């Protein structure tokens, strides 16, 4: 089947980043096609699941500053669609009080006037009951942080895109790309043409970029998404405003941990380890490493006395990591009408609306609204393989 229609833009990959990019393009009256390899919705990429953390607490100013507009774009989408996508819970940040990482969070938040409360070992349990603050740890709360209803957000943005006249074709895997002033995209079901192309295929980025002679330094990891049962149901519940939390980075392996209050599975709290094991996105179920679960069990036993230190549910999801954990947002070095967003390194969901806006701007040849230098591929220098 060959399509006669020429699109302004084709977006490949209907995860959070591709869906928001397509929506932004449609808002700009661009005739847009969004292609997805699986039947939607699916659980085989990085954007599935009911919840994600949204926060301004970051080590780097550029993320904190982008989140300013991003919160506004999330609430604009909520108003437009008449749905709730965000719930404020606050985010508890804990880490060795004098460590580089903890101080970077604290100072970045202070410098950018992010509303926060600093807790002391004396008043900690009064504010955050049923959590043990480790000896020597500092604690602060990013007050406006909270939970995004991820699955609902994806459904909403894809729905709004379609209402604006956008076309979604799922169960169509892109099998080839031919660059040119008009780009040709071949799928398992057809051939499509467009003035520009956006590639947002998450863990599959290098598999698809190989078709256009580019390889990025990305590592795909499978993450075990663990849920832990409350001894007394409701102890760590979102309705009671129990906060999301994260441990800042440090020397010890048991610091790469974060969690969300119980919500999607009543009585179960999501607590995960931020480092997984390398995997192939087409064979992720073959990766069965659970060594992180021991680290989580020790953490839960030590710091969450109200949880049973044995995971009740283990699901899986994938991270696509760059060497510096910063995103990749750029144009192809040889074809300026091919744009990609990749390497969201396990923290990209909250940025969906702003990533969509930026990739839309890049695909239209406009000056992007933010300085993209932290996200350009030239930072990888020798690590980017171009077969051109
Ligand atoms: C366990 C876990 C917890 C996380 N927690 C947070 C959090 O709290 N806060 C936060 O902000 N972020 C979080 N993240 C990160 C965030 O979810 C990801 O950064 C984001 O979902 C990445 O989206 P994406 O669109 O790049 O990738 P994906 O969601 O994987 O989308 C890519 C899409 O492209 C499709 N595709 C691939 N190849 C092709 C092809 N050839 N043809 C057609 N379609 C194709 C795939 O099927 C997929 O649907 C978390 C991630 C995980 C795994
Ligand atoms: O992006 C986020 O907020 C979460 C928490 C920290 C680790 C990864 N994702």
């Amino acid at each position: 089947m060959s399509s006669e229609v020429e699109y302004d833009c084709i977006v490949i990959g209907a995860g959070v980043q591709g869906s928001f990019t397509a929506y932004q393009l449609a808002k700009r009256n661009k005739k847009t096609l969004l292609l997805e390899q699986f039947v939607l919705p699916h659980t085989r990429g990085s954007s599935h699941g009911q919840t994600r953390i949204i926060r301004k607490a970051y080590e780097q100013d550029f993320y904190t500053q982008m989140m300013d507009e991003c919160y506004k774009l999330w609430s604009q989408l909520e108003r437009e669609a008449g749905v709730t996508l965000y719930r404020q819970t606050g985010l508890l940040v804990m880490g060795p009080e004098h460590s580089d990482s903890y101080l970077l969070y604290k100072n970045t938040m202070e410098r950018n006037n992010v509303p926060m409360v600093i807790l002391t070992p004396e008043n900690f349990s009064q504010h955050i009951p049923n959590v043990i603050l480790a000896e020597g740890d500092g604690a602060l709360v990013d007050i406006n942080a909270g939970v995004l209803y991820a699955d609902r957000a994806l459904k909403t943005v894809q729905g709004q895109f379609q209402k604006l006249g956008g076309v979604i074709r799922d169960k169509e895997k892109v099998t080839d790309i031919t660059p040119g002033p008009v780009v040709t995209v071949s799928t398992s079901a057809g051939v499509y043409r467009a003035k520009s192309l956006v590639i947002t295929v998450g863990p599959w980025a290098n598999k698809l970029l190989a078709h256009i002679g580019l390889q990025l330094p990305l590592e795909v990891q499978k993450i075990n998404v663990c849920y832990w049962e409350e001894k007394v149901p409701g102890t760590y519940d979102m309705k009671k405003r129990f906060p999301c939390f994260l441990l800042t980075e440090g020397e010890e392996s048991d610091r790469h941990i974060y969690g969300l209050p119980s919500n999607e599975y009543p009585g179960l709290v999501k607590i995960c380890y931020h480092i997984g094991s390398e995997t192939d996105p087409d064979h992720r179920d073959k990766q069965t490493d659970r060594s992180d679960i021991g680290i989580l069990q020790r953490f839960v036993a030590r710091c969450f006395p109200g949880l049973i230190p044995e995971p009740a549910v283990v699901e899986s999801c994938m991270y696509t990591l760059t060497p510096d954990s910063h995103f990749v947002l750029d144009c192809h070095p040889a074809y300026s009408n091919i744009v990609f967003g990749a390497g969201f390194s396990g923290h990209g969901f909250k940025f969906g609306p702003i990533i969509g806006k930026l990739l839309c701007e890049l695909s239209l040849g406009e000056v992007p609204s933010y300085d993209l230098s932290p996200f350009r591929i030239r930072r990888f220098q020798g690590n980017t393989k171009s077969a051109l």
Side-chain angles (χ1 to χ4, degrees), residues 53-55 58 245-246 258 274 319 345-348 350:
I53 297 172
I54 179 168
R55 57 183 161 113
Y58 261 91
F245 72 89
L246 66 79
Y258 61 96
H274 189 43
Y319 282 0
S345 302
H347 65 113
K350 65 183 83 54

Side-chain angles (χ1 to χ4, degrees), residues 12-18 35-38 42 45-47 51-54 172-175 200-204 208 223 225 258 260 272 317-319 341 344-351:
I12 310 175
V16 66
Q17 314 303 7
L35 292 168
E36 168 55 47
Q37 64 180 344
F38 298 131
H42 72 84
S46 301
S47 300
T51 52
R52 292 289 188 278
I53 297 172
I54 179 168
E172 279 208 45
K173 180 176 177 164
V174 172
T175 51
T200 44
V201 290
W204 288 266
L208 207 62
I223 300 293
V225 182
Y258 61 96
L260 290 84
C272 306
C317 190
M318 286 181 288
Y319 282 0
F344 291 98
S345 302
H347 65 113
F349 201 97
K350 65 183 83 54
F351 292 96

Side-chain angles (χ1 to χ4, degrees), residues 7 14 19 22 32-36 38 40 154-155 157-162 165-172:
Y7 290 92
S19 300
T32 306
L33 170 66
L34 176 58
L35 292 168
E36 168 55 47
F38 298 131
L40 290 170
L154 220 56
K155 185 172 164 216
V157 70
Q158 288 167 4
Q160 292 303 106
F161 167 63
Q162 287 172 308
V167 177
I168 300 180
R169 289 189 182 272
D170 61 357
K171 208 181 173 189
E172 279 208 45

Side-chain angles (χ1 to χ4, degrees), residues 15-25 74 77 153 157 352-353 356-357:
V16 66
Q17 314 303 7
S19 300
F20 269 103
T21 306
Y23 164 71
Q24 287 290 344
L25 283 156
W74 277 111
L77 178 62
V157 70
K357 184 175 169 188

Side-chain angles (χ1 to χ4, degrees), residues 79-206:
R79 280 194 306 278
E80 247 176 61
V83 293
T84 300
L85 302 176
Y86 152 77
R87 181 160 182 146
Q88 183 182 355
T89 61
L91 170 87
L92 170 66
V93 178
M94 295 179 284
E97 205 175 352
H98 304 292
S99 64
D100 290 349
S101 179
Y102 180 76
L103 288 172
L104 274 172
Y105 275 94
K106 188 165 169 246
N107 295 338
T108 305
M109 291 170 73
E110 272 168 359
R111 206 168 36 248
N112 290 284
N113 301 315
V114 178
M116 69 165 152
V117 174
I118 296 181
L119 303 176
T120 63
E122 292 71 41
N123 69 12
F124 182 84
S125 58
Q126 180 192 323
H127 289 274
I128 318 279
N130 304 303
V131 177
I132 310 290
L133 182 67
E135 181 85 35
D137 265 15
L140 59 84
V141 178
D142 171 353
I143 294 177
N144 292 322
V147 172
L148 289 169
Y149 298 122
D151 281 345
R152 192 187 294 173
L154 220 56
K155 185 172 164 216
T156 301
V157 70
Q158 288 167 4
Q160 292 303 106
F161 167 63
Q162 287 172 308
K163 275 192 193 155
L164 291 163
V167 177
I168 300 180
R169 289 189 182 272
D170 61 357
K171 208 181 173 189
E172 279 208 45
K173 180 176 177 164
V174 172
T175 51
D176 203 9
I177 298 167
T178 310
V182 172
V183 186
T184 304
V185 174
S186 307
T187 74
S188 44
V191 177
Y192 305 94
R193 293 184 176 79
K195 294 185 186 71
S196 67
L197 175 69
V198 180
I199 301 174
T200 44
V201 290
W204 288 266
N206 272 336

